[in-house]
Amino acid sequence: MPYRAAVNEYLFMIDNLLDADALRETARFEEASADVTTAILEEAGKLCDEKLAPLQREGDLHPARLENGVVRTSPGFAEGFQTIAEGGWLGMSASPVHGGMGLPLILSSAVNEMMSGACLSLQLAPLMSQGQIEALEHHASDMIKDLFLPKLISGEWTGTMNLTEPQAGSDVGALKSKAVDNGDGTYAVSGQKIFITWGDHDVAENICHLVLARLPDAPAGTKGISLFLVPKFVPNEDGSLGPRNGVTTVSLEHKMGLHGSPTAVMQYDDATGWIVGPEQGGMAAMFTMMNNARLGVGGQGVGVAEAAYQHALAYALERKQGRAGPDGTASIAEHADVHRMLATMKADVFAARSIGLSCAYAIDMAAATGDPAWRARAALLTPIAKAFGTDTGVAVAEMALQVQGGMGFIEETGAAQFSRDVRVTTIYEGTNGIQAMDLVARKMMDGGEAAGLLFDEMEEDIERARPDFPNMADAVWQACESLREATEWIVAQGNMNDRFAGAVPYLRAFARVLGAQLHLKAAMADKGGAREKLARFYILRLLPEHAGLLIHAQAGEADLFAVTTADLAN
């Protein structure tokens, strides 16, 4: 079935769930008017529906391949990427100083999610470039900015992120890659990196790698790591391509899904690079890109969920089976369990999408106002948006396959591809378990202050809904109070394993309650409409999950580690 980008959903959320006027009143985003917002999202929707969605199956059936040291991408991918680049979509939120549009992240996040639903394998390329652009804007020297940013923003060059090494995994501090000062402002970078998304390809003329490496005599662990920009071709001062650098693609990974996205093993042999940020400041600089990517990956989960839902709904409406009432054969969409799955998918997509958009809005307000409260809000919501967005992607893709029964298990229908493609998003940019640990540890270093302020605002919204929807408002209020109490318990635990043992259920409970409040807000804007009905379904049937999750979240480590590793192996 044809994919349709969720343009109207985003327009509704921006108008009714966010204080868009407050954002547009800032000097930074005063040009992002309602008319501009509508025009951009509608144009992006056409791009996704007409140009990118047809590439979805091509990437799966005709994977990227490495031939004689050259990576060949899937049919149509080069043209698709050029369409994205020529439309200026890579630089939507980049600074106008180097050719970007300077638009709010809420818009670029919406566009990225729609592109992900159309063709996730291809969308990964612009996402990596956008993250690198932001990292360079914040941390690079003026020379690097002037030379590299215009090319990255235009799409003439693309960007990657090189963290992981064979022996290190998520323990970035165990990396062995090294860099030696050449004495001329450049460094010789050597080492091997794995799982590099779009590490090599044929859709742009140059590829710029952000590589974590260690300088001689630097201390062990993450504190001794520096960040280097290492291009495939060393550019001349005027931006033209110079000699081939000491960068080699060793192999491409054979993956469960995302076959159209070339995931490379990269080898660096005395490759010329420039340091980004101060010596031994690599993690701070790289985290700028990682946080950008975490929100983006959460949006990828939502995008695939939307596409999988549309695919399942179309099948369910067309498939006739069984009897329902006196009128004879009905579509399976009328069967209670299938109807339950479809409603669950739609309700969870709305919740995950609105949480991600709320996170992007907090980032925008922090950038526009410099208010530390907005920065804290953005930091708090980032792991929730990433984890819940991708968990939703996996769950919805699985339900979509279930709706289609045996046909969903047949590869030709395309249903299984959504499940295979989205599965890695819960691993990308820090597994969802790492996101949950970050939430209960680093994001609670303020004693839960940022979370408490969010709960206060949520309860103010709930009170406004109480006259119209007393039962729903009461359910969400009670859930919010339970979440507040659980947060206070977590903050009080000095033993971090007591926090970590329940971190994943805590994050999910947080997302469940936040999703309920946002659904309730949507119901207020659409009284008697489809969104009120969907909110009622979510609050009455899905929100109650939070209670069991919070019991788990506050159970501590004792019973968990009472089951020893020997017991597990027995």
Side-chain angles (χ1 to χ4, degrees):
M1 62 154 286
Y3 167 78
R4 289 291 177 264
V7 174
N8 290 335
E9 282 294 280
Y10 269 110
L11 290 173
F12 173 84
M13 289 180 176
I14 290 170
D15 287 343
N16 297 286
L17 303 188
L18 308 178
D19 188 355
D21 288 340
L23 188 65
R24 291 163 181 156
E25 288 170 1
T26 65
R28 181 164 183 152
F29 297 123
E30 60 185 355
E31 295 183 5
S33 66
D35 288 343
V36 168
T37 295
T38 300
I40 286 173
L41 293 185
E42 288 181 346
E43 192 63 29
K46 292 178 184 177
L47 167 70
C48 294
D49 298 348
E50 299 171 7
K51 302 294 184 181
L52 304 187
L55 302 177
Q56 166 81 348
R57 291 297 284 159
E58 289 293 330
D60 196 49
L61 298 175
H62 306 285
R65 63 195 187 280
L66 179 61
E67 295 179 344
N68 301 317
V70 178
V71 173
R72 306 295 185 190
T73 53
S74 304
F77 271 41
E79 293 79 5
F81 182 81
Q82 286 305 310
T83 302
I84 294 170
E86 290 168 3
W89 302 107
L90 284 158
M92 285 184 65
S93 294
S95 170
V97 172
H98 294 101
M101 296 184 188
L103 291 168
L105 188 61
I106 56 172
L107 295 185
S108 55
S109 293
V111 172
N112 283 338
E113 189 238 279
M114 294 189 289
M115 288 185 182
S116 299
C119 183
L120 179 55
S121 284
L122 179 56
Q123 189 271 340
L124 280 159
L127 181 72
M128 290 293 98
S129 290
Q130 288 167 346
Q132 186 171 118
I133 288 166
E134 183 173 1
L136 295 182
E137 286 181 340
H138 282 84
H139 301 285
S141 67
D142 289 341
M143 184 280 291
I144 292 175
K145 291 178 184 178
D146 292 342
L147 181 57
F148 286 88
L149 282 176
K151 297 289 189 178
L152 288 165
I153 290 169
S154 69
E156 295 171 77
W157 300 352
T158 65
T160 74
M161 177 168 52
N162 287 237
L163 289 77
T164 309
E165 297 184 6
Q167 79 291 341
S170 296
D171 183 9
V172 178
L175 66 80
K176 295 181 179 178
S177 294
K178 63 180 183 179
V180 178
D181 193 341
N182 288 327
D184 61 356
T186 68
Y187 293 77
V189 179
S190 299
Q192 188 175 96
K193 300 288 184 177
I194 62 172
F195 303 151
I196 308 308
T197 300
W198 280 84
D200 198 10
H201 56 75
D202 58 2
V203 308
E205 64 181 20
N206 203 5
I207 305 168
C208 306
H209 305 284
L210 277 180
V211 183
L212 289 178
R214 201 181 306 277
L215 291 164
D217 302 322
T222 57
K223 292 183 179 179
I225 295 174
S226 301
L227 182 64
F228 301 88
L229 182 59
V230 185
K232 180 177 180 179
F233 292 94
V234 180
N236 298 312
E237 291 184 2
D238 62 359
S240 61
L241 297 186
R244 176 69 186 259
N245 208 351
V247 181
T248 307
T249 303
V250 176
S251 63
L252 296 183
E253 304 290 359
H254 299 280
K255 299 173 296 185
M256 174 181 174
L258 292 178
H259 296 151
S261 169
T263 302
V265 176
M266 305 298 301
Q267 181 68 38
Y268 297 88
D269 296 301
D270 292 327
T272 299
W274 289 264
I275 194 166
V276 176
E279 292 186 6
Q280 301 176 29
M283 289 306 296
M286 184 60 87
F287 263 108
T288 299
M289 184 172 186
M290 286 181 67
N291 282 327
N292 179 290
R294 283 172 174 169
L295 178 58
V297 170
Q300 289 176 339
V302 176
V304 175
E306 174 68 39
Y309 166 71
Q310 291 184 22
H311 196 272
L313 178 63
Y315 178 86
L317 292 173
E318 294 171 1
R319 173 66 171 160
K320 307 294 184 182
Q321 185 173 310
R323 302 181 68 83
D327 297 329
T329 302
S331 74
I332 63 170
E334 297 301 323
H335 295 192
D337 190 54
V338 174
H339 207 79
R340 174 193 63 82
M341 287 190 284
L342 292 169
T344 298
M345 286 189 273
K346 189 171 181 64
D348 265 348
V349 168
F350 184 94
R353 179 180 283 138
S354 58
I355 290 170
L357 197 64
S358 297
C359 182
Y361 179 81
I363 295 171
D364 282 332
M365 290 299 291
T369 66
D371 186 341
W374 279 117
R375 285 197 294 271
R377 173 71 55 83
L380 178 73
L381 291 178
T382 294
I384 301 171
K386 191 276 178 181
F388 189 66
T390 57
D391 280 345
T392 297
V394 171
V396 169
E398 287 294 308
M399 272 187 282
L401 196 152
Q402 187 73 12
V403 164
Q404 294 169 77
M407 292 306 296
F409 199 64
I410 304 301
E411 283 288 354
E412 283 81 357
T413 66
Q417 183 184 346
F418 295 120
S419 188
R420 289 186 287 101
D421 283 354
V422 78
R423 184 61 186 83
V424 75
T425 61
T426 64
I427 300 170
Y428 272 155
E429 309 308 331
T431 66
N432 286 358
I434 290 174
Q435 303 303 316
M437 292 167 69
D438 175 54
L439 177 63
V440 301
R442 186 182 300 272
K443 302 305 165 58
M444 296 295 168
M445 289 175 65
D446 63 352
E449 180 180 351
L453 289 173
L454 177 58
F455 300 149
D456 291 343
E457 290 183 21
M458 291 168 64
E459 291 182 348
E460 289 174 4
D461 278 339
I462 296 166
E463 282 302 306
R464 281 191 282 271
R466 195 178 292 278
D468 295 287
F469 306 118
N471 293 336
M472 285 199 291
D474 187 61
V476 182
W477 175 278
Q478 294 299 331
C480 191
E481 281 299 293
S482 296
L483 181 61
R484 188 192 295 270
E485 291 170 6
T487 303
E488 292 169 353
W489 181 91
I490 285 170
V491 170
Q493 305 312 303
N495 177 6
M496 295 308 293
N497 264 351
D498 282 329
R499 299 188 189 194
F500 293 156
V504 167
Y506 172 75
L507 184 150
R508 184 168 181 83
F510 204 131
R512 269 279 169 254
V513 178
L514 183 55
Q517 180 259 324
L518 291 164
H519 263 291
L520 185 60
K521 199 169 183 178
M524 287 291 291
D526 189 30
K527 296 173 186 175
R531 290 185 175 87
E532 179 194 326
K533 298 172 188 176
L534 194 66
R536 193 173 303 279
F537 172 86
Y538 183 98
I539 291 167
L540 297 182
R541 293 176 179 263
L542 302 184
L543 175 61
E545 179 190 12
H546 85 280
L549 291 168
L550 291 180
I551 292 172
H552 189 169
Q554 299 171 82
E557 69 161 339
D559 62 329
L560 174 63
F561 285 100
V563 182
T564 66
T565 51
D567 294 328
L568 294 172
N570 187 3

